[in-house]
Every structure is written in structure tokens, then in C-alpha cells.
Amino acid sequence: MSINVLAICGSLRAKSTNRGLVRYAMANSPDGMKIHLADLMEVPFYNADLGEKPAAVQTLLQQMAEADALLLACPEYNYSLAPALKNALDWASREPDNHLLSGKPVAIMGSAAGMGSSRSQYHLRQVCVYLNLHPLNQPEVFANAFSGAFDNDGDLTDDKIQANVRKLLAALLAWQQRLNGQKS
């Protein structure tokens, strides 16, 4: 049995190092895990006055409904999480009884300057508490976007960070399998 993981990247840039983390995760997911990337390019900011959900929002919510777990790539903008990522979670949280998010396992990773998105990831963990998402505590994946760990296209090239991403995915798979009563 395979688990379905929805990756949501807070950066919209094609050559973003956070997208590079997601690309690496998708190409190196463990057996028993399928990772799909949500497309946030056309998702408008949440607005309760919209009468009907735009098509991009409907697609995102359907992907969340089908996901067993989430993989969140969290950039750091001004010491906090990126609006695109927060907006995706805001849309999902407005569904009845928060059923798309509540109780769902989450793996978090991120790339940014300085401390590699640590501040934004801690803010994201606070958001997860309110949404009743269950983030993995370890391993933590913080990557400095300007340390030479990524190439010019934003692809992850650092062996140590690659190993941490693989460990994160393995931990997410094992956790989800335990939740489902399967052997890991």
C-alpha cells in the first residue's frame, strides 16, 4: 500500500531552492510513497466574500482531500512563512470541521538565507497547532539557500541535506504506516 503525499511549496519561483527541495523529495521518495506537487500559481488570496471557489482552489482542496500526509516546503520571508503557503492552508482550514487538515501528518523542510528557514518553520508549527496538523519533530531540515547547497536552477546538490530529506521522508512514511496499522 502506498501513501499519497501532497507537497506544498511556499515559493512560487520555478528556480526556488524550496522547489528544489521538493523536486529532490519527489525524485527520491521511499518505496511506498507517492509525492505530488500542488500548484499554487493561480490560487487567489482567501476571501470569504467569493461566492464560488475558483477552479485552482477546488483543485488544491481535492488534492488535500486525497492526501494521506503533507510535505511543506517553507521559505522564510521577513522571519516568517511565505504568504502562498499560509494562503493554501487558510483555504483548506475553511472547509467544514477543518476535515482536510485536522489530524493529518506533516513533514516540514525549508531553505532560506541565514538559519535556513528555521524562524518560518517555527511559525508554521504554530499554525499547525491551530489547524490540528501533526508535524514530525525530527529530523528537522533547514537549508541555507546561499551556501552552495543548490545549483543555479535551485536543485539540491548537497549530500548532507539530501540525506536529511530522505530521512524526513522515511520518518513520514513510517509514521503514516503506524497510523494505518501497517508494518514500517
Side-chain angles (χ1 to χ4, degrees):
M1 184 173 168
S2 183
I3 70 162
N4 182 25
V5 176
L6 180 63
I8 303 174
C9 181
S11 177
L12 302 178
R13 289 186 321 107
K15 293 184 179 183
S16 154
T17 54
N18 282 280
R19 283 190 178 275
L21 288 170
V22 170
R23 285 190 296 272
Y24 182 82
M26 291 173 73
N28 293 278
S29 61
D31 290 340
M33 177 183 285
K34 301 282 187 212
I35 302 174
H36 307 278
L37 177 61
D39 182 1
L40 303 182
M41 292 297 288
E42 302 298 322
V43 175
F45 281 110
Y46 174 75
N47 181 346
D49 290 340
L50 291 176
E52 187 174 315
K53 292 179 189 99
V57 171
Q58 291 178 29
T59 298
L60 174 65
L61 298 180
Q62 182 61 41
Q63 288 175 313
M64 286 183 173
E66 294 169 358
D68 299 306
L70 301 177
L71 174 62
L72 304 179
C74 187
E76 186 168 298
Y77 295 177
N78 303 317
Y79 287 5
S80 193
L81 60 150
L85 176 56
K86 176 70 167 57
N87 186 52
L89 296 173
D90 288 344
W91 272 107
S93 73
R94 299 312 190 262
E95 290 299 290
D97 300 321
N98 190 32
H99 74 276
L100 296 177
L101 302 175
S102 186
K104 197 164 279 192
V106 175
I108 300 171
M109 59 185 180
S111 173
M115 299 186 319
S117 82
S118 60
R119 293 178 197 99
S120 63
Q121 287 190 40
Y122 291 134
H123 286 184
L124 178 57
R125 286 175 181 279
Q126 292 171 330
V127 172
C128 288
V129 168
Y130 182 79
L131 298 176
N132 197 34
L133 286 165
H134 297 286
L136 288 170
N137 290 326
Q138 295 178 0
E140 293 180 305
V141 179
F142 304 119
N144 185 310
F146 304 103
S147 66
F150 299 88
D151 66 17
N152 290 336
D153 292 323
D155 291 322
L156 180 61
T157 58
D158 183 87
D159 293 339
K160 184 177 177 183
I161 299 170
Q162 289 173 345
N164 282 340
V165 171
R166 289 191 308 271
K167 288 177 188 175
L168 180 69
L169 297 176
L172 181 61
L173 178 63
W175 188 14
Q176 183 62 37
Q177 288 175 331
R178 281 192 304 276
L179 288 174
N180 289 339
Q182 301 170 9
K183 289 187 177 186
S184 53

